Amino acid sequence: MIDTLDIEITPTSQSRLSQVDFDNLPFGKVFADHMLIAKYENGAWSRASIQPFGDISLSPATSMIHYGQSIFEGLKAFKSESNDILIFRPEENWKRMNASAVRMCMPEVPKEIFLGGLRQLIALDRNWVPNNSESALYIRPFLFATDAMLGVRPSETYTFMIITAPVGPYYVKPLHLKIETEFTRAALGGVGSAKAAGNYGAAMYPAMMAQKQGIDQLIWTDAKEHKYLEEAGTMNMMVVIDDTLITPPLKSTILPGITRKSFLELTKEAGFKVEERPVSAVEVIEAIQSGTLKELFGVGTAATTAQVEKLTFEGKTYDLPSNAHRVISNSIGQKLLRIKKGIDPDTHGWNMTL
Ligand SMILES: *Cc1c(COP(=O)(O)O)cnc(C)c1O
């Protein structure tokens, strides 16, 4: 029934669309005309509404600010050549948001509000979906605690919102990453597999320290031994050694990426070997030295496929094979993008079409 969801819509009287330079989009700074908002109180969700994008007002005691019950999602909508709007695997984002909600002791968002609200919001702002090649409408659903109280306990009231932003590519150049062996992103049993706001705040200081040395981002390693690779910044990471694609297995320290999952499926279908198993820093460095490491890259909605050209480990920097020879990441990355944009047939039923 998500098409007929009763949502109160207040359209903007002044669209900002004509002021946007779609050929020069900074990531996440320009927002579409409308936003969705729904509130949870007394154990129930209120009717959702769509309003002009704008500021919201909160008590300074809002518990999300003090204790961090705040989670988010990220997905993209593309415009096809026939002017359809294609949203990539939104149901997966809905499920993952609710998994994050459970871990953070927050209420789950009903499907009608998340997917039905998304549908109506994007339909209203469909002219904000860019159609040039690397661009998309980035969609940011989020849920946060709103009780105005300083006691440390789960909030009883929450707000769910969706805002959207037309975006170009996230990383424009191949990356220089460092394998981090001092700081930790996530520990077993923690919240690394939830898209919880605090995870990103906690990663900023270590990333900034590396950026001062000219490094773009970190590859996080396991909290216990700092031996095994986990994630590359806010992307899942993949390596190709010989002719096998290898990625760390999912556990409580790794965000279960929808790009990761889709990429693995397409790679298997294309007939390449895929392994989900622990990968150590030492294994990667030895593979670089022996010439068996063919590709190293990150995958995620924002970045799509981000190639890594330099890798720093224990103070030494290694050059990786050039982009031109990266068969798996280039072919599967292109394939995925072609499905998302409606160029190749969507045989998996991944796209929601508007
Ligand atoms: C969002 C995110 C990813 C990528 O997930 P996608 O669903 O592919 O966008 C990977 N790692 C972290 C830490 C993330 O926050």
Side-chain angles (χ1 to χ4, degrees):
M1 286 293 99
I2 62 176
D3 290 320
T4 56
L5 173 68
D6 175 30
I7 292 182
E8 186 185 332
I9 300 180
T10 312
T12 181
S13 55
Q14 262 192 324
S15 172
R16 289 174 281 100
L17 188 60
S18 61
Q19 300 161 22
V20 178
D21 175 3
F22 277 87
D23 294 321
N24 266 307
L25 292 166
F27 194 93
K29 290 189 185 165
V30 177
F31 301 100
D33 281 329
H34 299 92
M35 62 186 190
L36 177 120
I37 184 160
K39 294 190 174 175
Y40 179 90
E41 53 191 351
N42 300 321
W45 286 94
S46 69
R47 185 180 177 200
S49 68
I50 291 176
Q51 307 167 6
F53 181 91
D55 292 350
I56 53 174
S57 151
L58 294 169
S59 160
T62 299
S63 65
M64 169 268 294
I65 300 170
H66 300 274
Y67 307 124
Q69 275 184 299
S70 180
I71 59 175
F72 67 96
E73 272 303 323
L75 65 164
K76 278 179 175 172
F78 297 83
K79 191 172 275 173
S80 77
E81 266 168 17
S82 50
N83 257 9
D84 285 331
I85 307 296
L86 306 175
I87 308 176
F88 189 68
R89 307 192 81 173
E91 191 159 344
E92 294 290 325
N93 294 90
W94 168 64
K95 288 184 194 156
R96 188 171 67 190
M97 170 159 259
N98 284 343
S100 298
V102 168
R103 179 63 184 82
M104 296 301 289
C105 209
M106 302 165 83
E108 294 179 45
V109 179
K111 193 173 187 176
E112 310 80 70
I113 293 180
F114 191 105
L115 289 174
L118 180 68
R119 208 174 229 291
Q120 294 207 25
L121 179 68
I122 307 305
L124 187 63
D125 280 337
R126 67 181 294 134
N127 292 335
W128 284 84
V129 183
N131 54 10
N132 33 355
S133 70
E134 289 274 316
S135 303
L137 187 71
Y138 183 77
I139 302 167
R140 169 54 60 88
F142 53 108
L143 174 67
F144 56 95
T146 54
D147 277 9
M149 57 101 199
L150 295 179
V152 183
R153 59 153 172 81
S155 180
E156 287 168 359
T157 62
Y158 294 86
T159 295
F160 171 68
M161 298 186 71
I162 307 177
I163 58 175
T164 69
V167 298
Y170 193 77
Y171 291 118
V172 279
K173 289 188 311 182
L175 302 174
H176 177 183
L177 302 187
K178 175 189 148 191
I179 298 177
E180 177 61 50
T181 51
E182 181 190 353
F183 295 105
T184 297
R185 187 190 91 90
L188 284 173
V191 294
S193 61
K195 248 175 147 66
N199 286 340
Y200 305 84
M204 286 176 190
Y205 177 75
M208 183 198 69
M209 297 305 278
Q211 279 152 11
K212 283 189 176 160
Q213 305 173 325
I215 289 159
D216 297 305
Q217 254 304 343
L218 300 173
I219 293 181
W220 298 103
T221 51
D222 69 283
K224 199 169 162 203
E225 302 179 283
H226 292 299
K227 267 190 183 169
Y228 294 95
L229 310 188
E230 297 207 318
E231 294 213 54
T234 58
M235 298 177 291
N236 292 110
M237 65 154 306
M238 306 210 164
V239 295
V240 176
I241 297 179
D242 292 318
D243 53 1
T244 303
L245 177 76
I246 308 165
T247 193
L250 295 179
K251 50 184 172 155
S252 58
T253 56
I254 294 187
L255 200 288
I258 296 159
T259 316
R260 175 190 181 280
K261 180 172 171 173
S262 310
F263 209 97
L264 292 181
E265 223 173 301
L266 293 177
T267 306
K268 283 181 207 162
E269 279 170 22
F272 294 107
K273 277 180 262 175
V274 171
E275 288 177 6
E276 289 180 67
R277 62 158 175 87
V279 192
S280 72
V282 167
E283 179 184 2
V284 167
I285 300 302
E286 285 178 359
I288 295 171
Q289 287 169 333
S290 68
T292 53
L293 185 128
K294 300 291 184 329
E295 313 184 28
L296 199 155
F297 56 100
V299 297
T301 295
T304 334
T305 311
Q307 298 292 353
V308 182
E309 64 173 4
K310 279 184 196 301
L311 186 63
T312 295
F313 178 58
E314 292 181 336
K316 282 183 78 175
T317 298
Y318 302 84
D319 286 313
L320 305 186
S322 93
N323 203 350
H325 301 293
R326 300 187 174 196
V327 177
I328 296 185
S329 49
N330 284 317
S331 65
I332 305 300
Q334 282 303 316
K335 174 82 191 163
L336 186 54
L337 196 62
R338 292 165 68 86
I339 295 172
K340 290 179 178 182
K341 296 182 61 107
I343 301 167
D344 281 7
D346 177 21
T347 54
H348 306 83
W350 283 343
N351 291 322
M352 176 196 263
T353 307
L354 300 184

